Amino acid sequence: SVVTPGCLLTTIAGVVLLLTFVWVMLVTVGSFRAWQDGQVALFDLVWAALRASIVLLVLGFHLR
């Protein structure tokens, strides 16, 4: 079967967004655990989650 370029680009974009989403979750959970252990302040937890979410939003905007 033939794969069209549009289908291939959609698949690649979906995989990239999925991997980015997993990365955002790992950053957020890691920061949350560090906050629970008292290693970082609440501001650092929020800032890390916000930065990772902004990366996800910008990447999602460019890959749509």
Side-chain angles (χ1 to χ4, degrees):
S1 96
V2 177
V3 177
T4 62
C7 182
L8 183 61
L9 287 176
T10 302
T11 303
I12 291 172
V15 169
V16 168
L17 283 176
L18 177 69
L19 291 174
T20 306
F21 185 74
V22 169
W23 174 76
V24 168
M25 293 304 295
L26 288 174
V27 166
T28 304
V29 169
S31 297
F32 181 73
R33 287 185 179 162
W35 174 72
Q36 275 185 324
D37 293 339
Q39 297 173 352
V40 297
L42 181 61
F43 176 77
D44 295 329
L45 165 68
V46 172
W47 183 240
L50 186 63
R51 280 187 316 202
S53 298
I54 289 171
V55 169
L56 181 64
L57 288 171
V58 169
L59 196 58
F61 176 75
H62 285 292
L63 290 178
R64 66 179 174 98

